[in-house]
Amino acid sequence: DGGITQSPKYLFRKEGQNVTLSCEQNLNHDAMYWYRQDPGQGLRLIYYSQIVNDFQKGDIAEGYSVSREKKESFPLTVTSAQKNPTAFYLCASSIAGGRGTGELFFGEGSRLTVL
Amino acid sequence: GENVEQHPSTLSVQEGDSAVIKCTYSDSASNYFPWYKQELGKGPQLIIDIRSNVGEKKDQRIAVTLNKTAKHFSLHITETQPEDSAVYFCAAKGYNFNKFYFGSGTKLNVKP
């Protein structure tokens, strides 16, 4: 089945450590996105990528980094510079980014807790 | 940029009643309007969407209406069931937009 796979589902981190969240899609989508969701809150865009080897900052990029070396993969690193990293992280993809209005599909999310 | 507002933030209905969630958008270039359902601890799932060339779309108990002139669109759920309880998000995107713009979400509680 085609879809978006996020891992790990749960992750615990000590303060000062970097962690990387994985996102893989086999939908052959060009565009991929990372969102952050805090309890009872909406979706805030961290980074997005419309094509391989290119990505743009979203609304809350500080303390995060991404790479897009392969079409199917868009890992997110939460760095020690992120002051409040405990949150639910969602990866998404769509067939086209800047041009077109293809459907946006989400993964099941990764819950990061900083101890 | 685009701004999407969603109301109400919480909605409680009795099983079997209808539920309506409303969203407004600001940019007339938006032409695609999806609705997502998010259950606790899971990723949002697309439940219905509408493009600007139609005014209404139905899928069983769920319908979406779009008023381009007024720049608002609504989700209608009829004959609600307890399993409809979740958080619902609306979104908007235009052909030349780099990203989707989301509403702040509505927590729907269907009481048995």
Side-chain angles (χ1 to χ4, degrees), chain A residues 7-27:
Chain A
S7 63
K9 189 168 178 64
Y10 299 96
L11 184 61
F12 297 89
R13 183 193 100 175
K14 292 182 180 179
E15 282 192 25
Q17 288 181 336
N18 292 355
V19 293
T20 297
L21 306 180
S22 170
C23 178
E24 302 279 331
Q25 54 98 358
N26 60 3
L27 300 166

Side-chain angles (χ1 to χ4, degrees), chain B residues 5 17 19 21 26 29 58-59 68 72 93 102 108 111:
Chain B
E5 295 190 355
D17 288 350
I21 302 171
S26 59
K58 288 183 180 179
D59 183 3
K68 286 190 295 183
H72 66 72
K93 190 178 186 297
F102 283 88
L108 174 64
K111 296 178 286 186

Side-chain angles (χ1 to χ4, degrees), chain A residues 37 50 97-98 100-101 104, chain B residues 31 36 38 51 93 95 97-98:
Chain A
Q37 188 175 33
Q50 297 175 51
T101 52
L104 184 69
Chain B
N31 62 359
Y36 291 87
Q38 185 179 27
R51 298 182 188 273
K93 190 178 186 297
Y95 185 76
F97 294 1
N98 290 331

